[in-house]
Amino acid sequence: MRALVAAAIGLAAALALAFAVTALGAQEGKTSPRPLLTTAPAAPGQQ
């Protein structure tokens, strides 16, 4: 019985945390001005 109560408390805490994070919403971010390297460099000796 104690295990069931502990599981219920844990589930309630996890749901409360999930709802709190959802309520805060996504933070405003900014992108890097430098572009990302999207291709691998050529192997040595191959140009």
Side-chain angles (χ1 to χ4, degrees), residues 6-45:
I9 291 172
L11 180 61
L15 286 175
L17 180 63
F19 286 135
V21 169
T22 303
L24 292 176
Q27 296 180 355
E28 291 296 321
K30 46 187 169 174
T31 58
S32 172
R34 298 176 57 193
L36 296 174
L37 181 64
T38 57
T39 56

